[in-house]
Amino acid sequence: MNALEDTQVARTLELNDGTRMPVLGLGTWKSSKLPRTSIQGAVETAISAGYRHIDTAYNYRNEIDVGKALRSKMQQGIIKREDMFIVSKLWCTHHAPEDIPLCLNHSLNDLQLDYLDLYLVHFPVGFKKMGDEMYPMKDGIIQMTDIDYVDVWRGMEQLQASGKVKSIGVSNFSILQLERLLALCKVPPAVNQVEMHPYLAQTEMIEFCKAKNIVLTAYSPFGSPGRPLVMIREDTDPHGLLQDPIVADIAKKHKCSPAQVLLRYHVQQGVSVIPKSDKSHHILENTKIFDFSLTKKDMRELTGLDRGWKSCMLAETKSHPYYPFL
């Protein structure tokens, strides 16, 4: 490796509406099947460690805790609201036109914020609204709607016009779904947040989004190893990515951790990344990805691990025509 090889990657990415998003953020999703840990503590630790991008969602049921952490750090004078880039997501039960602003207002109230920096359509398939159920079931089957995500997007455009959200985007959308939005809607999505890691390299998605000036955010960059065993599919699951020998060899060569290699892999491709951790030392370690550079050979070897393995399937919605993971 050339000792002078450029380690510089942008710490922020410019979105197609002119706003800037920090390339590294803290993810806060945690399976409801795992014990509850202190989300507030993790967010406060992250802000102290220099994170300025926090990713949450109505569906995560943790926005009150995220809001308390933000308020605490603001009251301490560590941050001002404008220093932070806060992302939340519209859940599938709120795809009807009248429900879209309700979901946003619920998130804003819980987060104790006047506006969001980025609001995403969490998933292209709509669910029926049945009380406060996140996954409304009847006879063991998830209850879906036929609401078109193009119509949902028009509701998102209205939210942006209202000033309550600065930027709008999507999550878990396929290339075909992005193409349809671009063809039929006024405002292009600023971001598509998708699962991405060397076992799911998403090369075509990266090329498409670069061509269309849509920023990608990678969730589950470590293959979501913290999921409970019941959620892990034995032979085609990415949960063992951190132990992959190629990842380990590259980490050893650069004197860093496998996690740092996996995060650097994304930011070096101009992809934003949102690792989740509730451990202070991991939260801090994950920030130290800007002082080394992966070689072209490293990048090729990591992308060469691609095997199309996903941790997030939402397979119970597979029968829906808008299911994105076919």
Side-chain angles (χ1 to χ4, degrees):
M1 173 178 159
N2 182 342
L4 298 174
E5 187 150 357
D6 187 14
T7 61
Q8 293 301 306
V9 293
R11 300 289 185 108
T12 61
L13 298 170
E14 186 171 353
L15 306 185
N16 57 24
D17 57 16
T19 59
R20 297 197 75 88
M21 175 172 78
V23 70
L24 176 69
L26 180 78
T28 63
W29 176 80
K30 185 158 193 175
S31 169
S32 58
K33 297 183 174 71
L34 290 168
R36 188 176 170 83
T37 55
S38 173
I39 290 290
Q40 182 178 344
V43 174
E44 288 190 27
T45 298
I47 291 169
S48 297
Y51 288 74
R52 293 296 178 262
H53 170 178
I54 309 293
D55 182 271
T56 183
Y58 174 79
N59 170 252
Y60 300 169
R61 297 188 190 265
N62 65 13
E63 290 176 313
I64 288 174
D65 298 323
V66 173
K68 284 178 181 171
L70 293 171
R71 184 64 41 201
S72 167
K73 289 296 174 187
M74 286 181 206
Q75 285 170 348
Q76 290 171 33
I78 308 291
I79 51 165
K80 297 195 280 291
R81 169 65 186 97
E82 57 268 28
D83 299 331
M84 298 301 297
F85 192 94
I86 309 300
V87 184
S88 190
K89 307 177 193 81
L90 175 80
W91 185 237
C92 308
T93 50
H94 285 68
H95 280 192
E98 65 276 13
D99 290 330
I100 294 170
L102 296 182
C103 194
L104 171 65
N105 289 338
H106 191 285
S107 291
L108 288 173
N109 288 338
D110 283 356
L111 289 163
Q112 302 181 60
L113 298 177
D114 298 324
Y115 70 91
L116 291 176
D117 297 278
L118 176 63
Y119 199 44
L120 307 177
V121 180
H122 205 148
F123 196 71
V125 177
F127 299 165
K128 286 184 179 166
K129 207 173 178 198
M130 292 166 57
D132 289 332
E133 292 294 316
M134 294 288 184
Y135 299 90
M137 308 290 278
K138 187 178 174 187
D139 301 326
I141 296 167
I142 197 155
Q143 299 298 290
M144 296 177 276
T145 69
D146 58 2
I147 296 173
D148 191 333
Y149 57 83
V150 168
D151 294 323
V152 178
W153 186 252
R154 291 184 177 128
M156 297 285 282
E157 290 177 338
Q158 289 172 6
L159 294 183
Q160 186 181 35
S162 77
K164 285 186 171 182
V165 299
K166 302 286 187 191
S167 301
I168 52 175
V170 294
S171 182
N172 299 299
F173 272 50
S174 68
I175 289 173
L176 284 173
Q177 289 169 335
L178 291 173
E179 283 181 325
R180 195 160 164 256
L181 283 187
L182 291 170
L184 296 176
C185 298
K186 291 186 191 129
V187 178
V191 169
N192 187 21
Q193 185 183 122
V194 296
E195 181 177 350
M196 203 186 299
H197 42 71
Y199 286 175
L200 188 71
Q202 298 269 29
T203 309
E204 282 180 44
M205 180 67 79
I206 291 171
E207 287 173 9
F208 176 84
C209 287
K210 277 211 164 78
K212 301 297 182 185
N213 199 19
I214 298 169
V215 166
L216 276 169
T217 296
Y219 72 75
S220 299
F222 309 140
S224 198
R227 281 168 297 140
L229 287 174
V230 67
M231 294 178 72
I232 291 172
R233 292 174 316 285
E234 290 181 15
D235 296 336
T236 59
D237 195 283
H239 72 283
L241 176 60
L242 282 166
Q243 286 79 47
D244 188 286
I246 287 177
V247 177
D249 285 350
I250 293 171
K252 192 174 172 188
K253 179 172 80 170
H254 291 284
K255 298 183 174 62
C256 64
S257 71
Q260 288 169 326
V261 167
L262 294 171
L263 297 176
R264 178 71 194 193
Y265 170 74
H266 291 304
V267 302
Q268 207 162 300
Q269 296 182 86
V271 170
S272 162
V273 65
I274 47 169
K276 184 204 75 68
S277 182
D278 45 32
K279 296 183 175 65
S280 298
H281 62 288
H282 285 158
I283 289 170
L284 184 58
E285 178 188 276
N286 291 345
T287 65
K288 299 183 185 304
I289 57 172
F290 299 103
D291 57 357
F292 72 98
S293 182
L294 299 173
T295 65
K296 285 180 180 165
K297 181 171 177 281
D298 295 336
M299 296 294 285
R300 273 198 311 274
E301 286 183 354
L302 290 167
T303 301
L305 295 173
D306 188 20
R307 52 200 71 174
W309 288 2
K310 295 182 68 64
S311 67
C312 174
M313 297 289 286
L314 217 59
E316 54 268 54
T317 66
K318 215 175 233 181
S319 62
H320 198 283
Y322 297 149
Y323 183 73
F325 301 143
L326 298 174

